[in-house]
Amino acid sequence: MGAVVVVSPADAVTETRTRFQDFGVSREQVDAEHDEVTFTGVVVTDEAAPRPVGDALVAIHCVRDCVTFDEVGKAYADAEGRFSLTGHLDSGGYYAAQYYSYRQPQYKDSRSPLVKVTAGAKVPAVVTLDALPAALDYGTKVAYAGRVRRQDGRPLAGKWVQLAECQTGYVCDYWNVRTDADGRFRSNTVALKPVWVDASISSGLYSTDSGVDPTIRYSVRYETRVTDLNLRLAAKWSGWVEADVRVERKTTRWEPYADAYDAVALYFRPKGGKTWTRKNGCESPDAGGWIRRCIAPAPGDGDWQARVALTDGTRPSVSAMRGMTMRIRRGSRCSTPRLSPSAREGRSSSPAACPGCDPTGWTPMGCPRRSAGARSCSPFRHAAPRSGAISAADGPTGTAGSAPGSRRGATAPGALRSPGTGGYSPTRPVITSTFADRLFGSGWRRLSGPGLCRRSVRL
């Protein structure tokens, strides 16, 4: 166990209080052209007969009403306790001298009375920021750099520049950097999130030219991957598929990417084919990175992929392939008007009678059922290719939804649409591929899609 040293009161160091005398400043007002001042004073003991504190370490600070509270500088007193410190001020305010006694343990710290320095009219300064790319990969090292000059082009050296880095929602981080002898400043950082950056001169003697701070903006691209692609036939529309897609991004680890706006789409390649075709874009993911029920038209059997495109926030990626064989139910629980083969040649024909419609409400396929006893069915309308003219393609004369004398043939190929609440549904192309023949038998075509009931039409 170490020995305990007991110091007698007679051997203890007695700390003597200190104070400042004659503390003052050479200039009581500063401006952009006259910012150099000299602070002077004397450090003495706080006794009835003051003694000078030689070699005292003194620092000058702005302590109130300042733009920046930085230290103006330090100086050592001479043997008579006198000190003089010359420096450049960035603003007006109340300044004081502080004596630090750690080098002289026989004395106590002290602070001078305050002296006031006022600031004149501000002079405009020009602050510029160096441009950055509009989009940066996550983790890229970047520098916020620029220059500060007077309006006549002379650089402003030793001035503080405040940088503000802000995210969406105006959550900002602030810090200061000082200009070098050429008026340039630089702050290194890493691109971790989309931000906008402002720079302004932090001075009570200068103002930003025109009052508008320079701004740079950039987004951050994340490495992405599609972890899941679950594909199935659409429940409501024949000839369509639904997909659940999950997207992740890489930061310090792989995590769900909930901000992949308009970046994910479904692509299709026919069975035996080599070309991939974009079929439909998907909505934005939820918090878990899932896009639920992304739908797309299915031309037939083939392979599907979910792809993340190159955007301001994403780097491209491709999911694993998923094969899909189309198995579409024949027939319909809605009206099934039928056209004779002469319609293929564009000649007028009389449609077969519409069957009665189910009176029980809505079918599982999303088609409206007719009220009990109703016998009339909504007719199709036909449009020739690249033509805006719509004519009646079927429907008994005088029935609901058709005009008297409107029986005409549907020219193939073309497009058909049916009336619904508030007007006609979007046109749907008549399918003429051998794929449809294989599904429905020769001569049968299936019309399908969102907003249009399932119908089999014989052409």
Side-chain angles (χ1 to χ4, degrees):
M1 184 173 179
V4 177
V5 178
V6 178
V7 179
S8 66
D11 296 330
V13 177
T14 302
E15 292 182 341
T16 304
R17 296 172 61 90
T18 61
R19 60 185 174 86
F20 284 83
Q21 283 183 343
D22 304 326
F23 179 62
V25 62
S26 62
R27 185 185 297 274
E28 295 183 349
Q29 181 173 342
V30 292
D31 55 38
E33 298 297 332
H34 307 91
D35 62 352
E36 184 178 270
V37 299
T38 300
F39 294 93
T40 57
V42 182
V43 183
V44 298
T45 58
D46 189 13
E47 299 172 318
R51 293 175 289 117
V53 178
D55 200 30
L57 175 61
V58 177
I60 308 296
H61 295 267
C62 185
V63 297
R64 199 174 78 191
D65 297 343
C66 317
V67 175
T68 60
F69 293 86
D70 299 313
E71 183 182 274
V72 178
K74 291 185 175 71
Y76 288 97
D78 59 17
E80 299 298 323
R82 298 182 181 278
F83 66 89
S84 176
L85 175 67
T86 300
H88 294 268
L89 304 187
D90 282 332
S91 70
Y94 290 86
Y95 289 81
Q98 176 73 46
Y99 164 56
Y100 295 112
S101 64
Y102 63 87
R103 297 172 58 253
Q104 300 169 310
Q106 69 272 29
Y107 298 113
K108 288 186 177 182
D109 290 358
S110 60
R111 194 174 78 172
S112 72
L114 302 181
V115 295
K116 182 180 180 181
V117 179
T118 60
K122 291 186 177 183
V123 174
V126 180
V127 182
T128 57
L129 273 172
D130 297 346
L132 289 175
L136 298 169
D137 289 341
Y138 177 88
T140 301
K141 294 181 180 180
V142 295
Y144 304 148
R147 195 178 186 192
V148 183
R149 294 169 295 174
R150 292 180 173 88
Q151 285 189 318
D152 59 10
R154 289 181 296 164
L156 283 175
K159 301 303 179 184
W160 286 109
V161 175
Q162 185 181 74
L163 295 174
E165 183 187 71
C166 302
Q167 306 174 50
T168 303
Y170 297 94
V171 178
C172 301
D173 294 324
Y174 298 91
W175 67 97
N176 291 331
V177 293
R178 192 183 287 273
T179 60
D180 60 17
D182 196 35
R184 292 199 60 82
F185 61 89
R186 180 185 180 93
S187 178
N188 297 323
T189 186
V190 178
L192 301 178
K193 53 189 177 296
V195 297
W196 52 270
V197 181
D198 281 349
S200 60
I201 187 168
S202 183
S203 171
L205 308 181
Y206 295 89
S207 61
T208 303
D209 185 34
S210 74
V212 179
D213 298 336
T215 302
I216 55 175
R217 301 173 185 270
Y218 63 84
S219 59
V220 172
R221 288 195 183 108
Y222 298 91
E223 183 180 349
T224 62
R225 68 181 182 184
V226 180
T227 60
D228 297 89
L229 173 59
N230 302 325
L231 206 64
R232 60 189 177 273
L233 294 175
K236 293 186 177 181
W237 308 300
S238 62
W240 289 64
V241 296
E242 295 177 349
D244 294 336
V245 184
R246 188 172 187 269
V247 184
E248 290 185 343
R249 70 177 182 182
K250 187 176 183 180
T251 55
T252 55
R253 65 184 186 280
W254 286 102
E255 59 187 22
Y257 194 11
D259 298 325
Y261 299 115
D262 299 327
V264 182
L266 296 179
Y267 282 73
F268 174 77
R269 181 180 66 182
K271 185 176 181 180
K274 297 183 179 180
T275 303
W276 289 91
T277 305
R278 186 181 189 275
K279 303 306 294 183
N280 205 7
C282 300
E283 296 180 355
S284 300
D286 58 20
W290 280 99
I291 302 173
R292 304 291 185 180
R293 293 189 68 249
C294 181
I295 63 172
D301 297 348
D303 299 319
W304 291 85
Q305 283 181 340
R307 297 186 182 183
V308 181
L310 177 66
T311 68
D312 286 344
T314 58
R315 295 179 62 186
S317 60
V318 181
S319 73
M321 291 189 301
R322 295 288 185 267
M324 174 65 73
T325 301
M326 302 299 294
R327 295 184 177 89
I328 306 177
R329 294 171 53 190
R330 293 183 61 178
S332 172
R333 298 182 66 180
C334 294
S335 57
T336 55
R338 181 177 298 178
L339 299 179
S340 66
S342 61
R344 182 183 296 274
E345 303 171 9
R347 296 193 297 269
S348 177
S349 62
S350 298
C354 290
C357 296
D358 196 320
T360 57
W362 290 81
T363 71
M365 296 180 291
C367 299
R369 291 173 177 160
R370 297 284 178 159
S371 58
R375 298 295 298 175
S376 61
C377 297
S378 298
F380 285 124
R381 292 288 190 255
H382 176 262
R386 295 180 296 279
S387 171
I390 302 297
S391 60
D394 69 282
T397 300
T399 57
S402 64
S406 64
R407 292 181 298 172
R408 296 179 59 186
T411 303
L416 296 178
R417 64 182 185 176
S418 64
T421 303
Y424 284 93
S425 68
T427 60
R428 303 296 175 194
V430 175
I431 304 173
T432 59
S433 66
T434 56
F435 169 76
D437 288 341
R438 186 168 70 253
L439 286 177
F440 307 121
S442 180
W444 284 89
R445 306 289 181 260
R446 172 63 60 89
L447 305 176
S448 61
L452 181 61
C453 294
R454 304 185 184 191
R455 290 177 172 83
S456 296
V457 182
R458 186 173 182 83
L459 297 179

